[in-house]
Amino acid sequence: MATCRQVSRPDLKSTLRQLSNLISKPLELKPPQRTLEPLQSRWLSSGTKPSFSRTWSGLRSQQQHQHHRHPASNLRASVGSEIIDLACYNIVRQNYSQAAVADQDPVARKIYPSRYTPPGPAPPEQKHQTLTFYTITPIPEDQLEGLRDEIFLQLVPFNITGRIYLAKDGINLHLCTPVEHLKDLQTSLQQLVQDRFGKGPDGAIWNFSCEQPGERVFRKLKVAVKKQLVADGRLGAWDVQDSKAPQYLEPEEFHARLDQVGDKALLVDMRNHFENEVGTFKTAVKMDCTTFRQNMDLLDELLEGRDKSEEVMMVCTGGIRCSISGRYLKQKGFKDVKMLKGGITSYGRYIKSNPEVKSHFVGKNFTFDGRRGERITNDVISTCHQCHTPHDDITNCANTRCHLLFIQCPSCSQKWSNTCGPECHHAVETGSGPAISKPYDYHAQVRPGPLLVPEIPKAA
């Protein structure tokens, strides 16, 4: 336990100072009145780990009655045991667990993410902007955890939700922010990331949804440290920082290039099968995969034996997967690698801003948030997985133990109570049956298979 105290106390003071700066109210650190030892005995010796929802319960109950106030005002009004307990618990939980594991096996040390769930739904009148941002730039590994905590503490007061991934190669995020806090978010990331670590040869790529600001599309904020920005299955086999960036084409340049080359160019869609099922570029090679690692394996197969002077064009949702795979191809010797800057999202904004332009992309752009997609064109290129009528709305099975990602039309949604078929329908309706205890399997979750079901089974 001495290790825990030695590791945690400086981090705790630093965290409380950051909280104090955020809420513009000084906090006095008085170790005799509030030290880590009572907190450790309360949370760690008991063997229990309270969830953030419990740790923030006092703050949330106050915010639910004050949702019309500025988030920082809510925090300012709630300074006290809840804020301090959160900071203490967060630091103690991470450092205690990491120190304990490191004592046994330094290689196996686990780095925990920081999470926060805003209190209750957003006010109906509040609009949210969905966006992505990434930059490929070296970040010292010994600074990643501190950067994670700083970003987390900066964004919590603004009720920003989504995912932020940090790695030694840079930062990649997909967030939903109240429109009034967009500038706060950009300023925070400028100061914490770009001003400190630069933005690399690829630049700092901001990308905003091609849809108008609307509802919050993430439930919580998660800031995590990863081994790689995007898991390509080649950890240690090549170094992103030692490779050259592909050529970035703005949406209008990419569109003009496709006009020129037609179907003669090798255009590779670097997304998963469930993404390109509902929308894709007409002449693109679509990958039948469920992970980026599989995608990279298929890319190797696709380009094996090809002339390395051949033009290769690449697309993905927001650009990060093409930035990584494009660098990979450049390192393998391919000379002419082009990618769509900002991905399909930026191309969608270009098409919607220029209605006279005929889009090379058809259908929907799948998104990894609550929307499950944003429409680029009115084309419907997929069918309901249950009745096979034309449809392209992707949903998850209402049985949370299944959570299958599949396409379901309104008729089948009503018929099957938003489930994927008889077993899950029975589980949701009765709370019993084998589907209640389905084991988690990501690959099965995104591979619907045959879901054609004629009628709801009648009870015996």
Side-chain angles (χ1 to χ4, degrees):
M1 192 60 73
T3 303
C4 173
R5 286 196 292 272
Q6 292 165 5
V7 172
S8 299
R9 187 168 285 114
D11 288 344
L12 172 62
K13 292 180 179 179
S14 174
T15 301
L16 293 180
R17 288 192 190 99
Q18 293 174 58
L19 278 170
S20 177
N21 292 334
L22 281 175
I23 58 183
S24 303
K25 180 174 181 178
L27 293 176
E28 293 184 15
L29 296 178
K30 299 179 179 180
Q33 281 77 18
R34 184 177 290 276
T35 64
L36 285 179
E37 191 131 6
L39 292 168
Q40 290 170 342
S41 62
R42 186 170 66 189
W43 288 325
L44 303 176
S45 301
S46 65
T48 61
K49 294 184 177 182
S51 67
F52 269 18
S53 59
R54 284 172 57 195
T55 309
W56 280 86
S57 59
L59 174 60
R60 286 182 175 182
S61 63
Q62 294 181 39
Q63 284 186 321
Q64 286 171 349
H65 296 292
Q66 303 173 2
H67 66 267
H68 61 281
R69 298 177 61 185
H70 190 285
S73 299
N74 293 337
L75 279 172
R76 198 173 294 117
S78 305
V79 174
S81 61
E82 294 87 355
I83 292 265
I84 296 176
D85 284 357
L86 170 68
C88 294
Y89 169 66
N90 190 21
I91 296 297
V92 170
R93 176 182 66 88
Q94 293 171 1
N95 288 323
Y96 174 75
S97 302
Q98 291 168 10
V101 174
D103 288 343
Q104 301 172 10
D105 182 3
V107 179
R109 179 174 177 270
K110 184 175 181 179
I111 302 176
Y112 289 89
S114 297
R115 294 186 176 92
Y116 167 68
T117 303
E125 69 279 4
Q126 190 176 58
K127 299 298 182 183
H128 292 76
Q129 176 68 61
T130 304
L131 58 91
T132 61
F133 167 80
Y134 71 90
T135 185
I136 299 175
T137 188
I139 300 176
E141 291 189 68
D142 61 357
Q143 296 184 37
L144 287 170
E145 293 176 61
L147 180 60
R148 172 203 59 197
D149 294 338
E150 286 185 275
I151 292 175
F152 177 74
L153 291 168
Q154 284 275 1
L155 301 190
V156 161
F158 305 124
N159 281 339
I160 292 172
T161 55
R163 295 180 290 267
I164 302 177
Y165 296 142
L166 302 168
K168 63 182 180 65
D169 298 321
I171 180 172
N172 177 32
L173 61 83
H174 185 186
L175 297 177
C176 182
T177 176
V179 171
E180 62 268 27
H181 295 311
L182 178 57
K183 292 297 182 184
D184 297 311
L185 170 63
Q186 292 178 309
T187 300
S188 295
L189 292 176
Q190 175 71 42
Q191 295 171 347
L192 294 175
V193 180
Q194 295 170 246
D195 291 350
R196 291 187 193 177
F197 308 107
K199 54 185 180 181
D202 304 75
I205 301 177
W206 288 92
N207 203 4
F208 298 91
S209 167
C210 63
E211 295 182 341
Q212 292 298 314
E215 297 180 353
R216 182 190 290 161
V217 298
F218 290 104
R219 290 188 302 106
K220 61 187 175 183
L221 172 67
K222 174 183 176 182
V223 188
V225 174
K226 297 284 187 179
K227 293 180 180 178
Q228 295 177 288
L229 275 184
V230 187
D232 63 4
R234 287 154 176 76
L235 186 63
W238 75 293
D239 191 338
V240 172
Q241 299 296 340
D242 290 339
S243 58
K244 294 182 179 179
Q247 180 183 354
Y248 287 82
L249 297 182
E250 297 290 344
E252 55 270 26
E253 296 175 314
F254 197 86
H255 182 87
R257 184 59 184 158
L258 288 181
D259 281 342
Q260 294 172 356
V261 299
D263 59 359
K264 296 178 182 177
L266 177 58
L267 175 60
V268 185
D269 189 334
M270 292 299 297
R271 300 175 302 151
N272 299 318
H273 78 92
F274 53 87
E275 298 174 79
N276 60 49
E277 184 176 5
V278 295
T280 189
F281 281 86
K282 299 172 186 176
T283 60
V285 175
K286 298 189 290 185
M287 301 294 201
D288 185 20
C289 59
T290 58
T291 65
F292 186 60
R293 176 176 183 166
Q294 292 177 355
N295 207 323
M296 294 287 280
D297 292 339
L298 292 174
L299 183 64
D300 278 337
E301 292 179 19
L302 177 66
L303 298 179
E304 186 177 2
R306 283 183 178 266
D307 184 354
K308 293 189 176 180
S309 63
E310 179 181 357
E311 179 182 28
V312 180
M313 301 178 71
M314 312 178 83
V315 295
C316 61
T317 304
I320 182 64
R321 285 177 281 187
C322 290
S323 290
I324 298 297
S325 54
R327 282 171 168 266
Y328 175 72
L329 293 185
K330 294 285 284 186
Q331 192 176 74
K332 292 190 70 170
F334 286 88
K335 298 177 175 59
D336 190 5
V337 182
K338 298 181 175 73
M339 65 164 284
L340 174 58
K341 185 177 181 180
I344 297 167
T345 302
S346 66
Y347 186 80
R349 285 201 316 276
Y350 166 70
I351 291 298
K352 290 188 174 185
S353 300
N354 299 274
E356 73 283 358
V357 174
K358 187 175 181 180
S359 176
H360 286 285
F361 182 92
V362 291
K364 274 186 173 181
N365 178 28
F366 180 90
T367 58
F368 290 88
D369 55 41
R371 297 171 299 163
R372 290 289 183 256
E374 51 188 11
R375 185 164 296 286
I376 308 297
T377 71
N378 292 325
D379 303 274
V380 178
I381 66 171
S382 55
T383 61
C384 172
H385 286 158
Q386 291 175 310
C387 68
H388 299 297
T389 58
H391 199 66
D392 59 6
D393 284 347
I394 294 182
T395 187
N396 289 99
C397 178
N399 175 15
T400 55
R401 295 297 300 175
C402 170
H403 209 59
L404 181 74
L405 189 71
F406 70 112
I407 300 173
Q408 187 177 51
C409 69
S411 176
C412 289
S413 175
Q414 182 178 12
K415 180 178 181 179
W416 294 101
S417 302
N418 303 316
T419 65
C420 64
E423 284 192 0
C424 286
H425 181 267
H426 177 76
V428 168
E429 293 294 315
T430 66
S432 62
I436 284 293
S437 56
K438 276 188 176 183
Y440 176 78
D441 183 343
Y442 168 77
H443 296 284
Q445 184 187 100
V446 296
R447 286 282 186 187
L451 292 180
L452 183 61
V453 280
E455 295 296 336
I456 298 177
K458 297 190 184 317

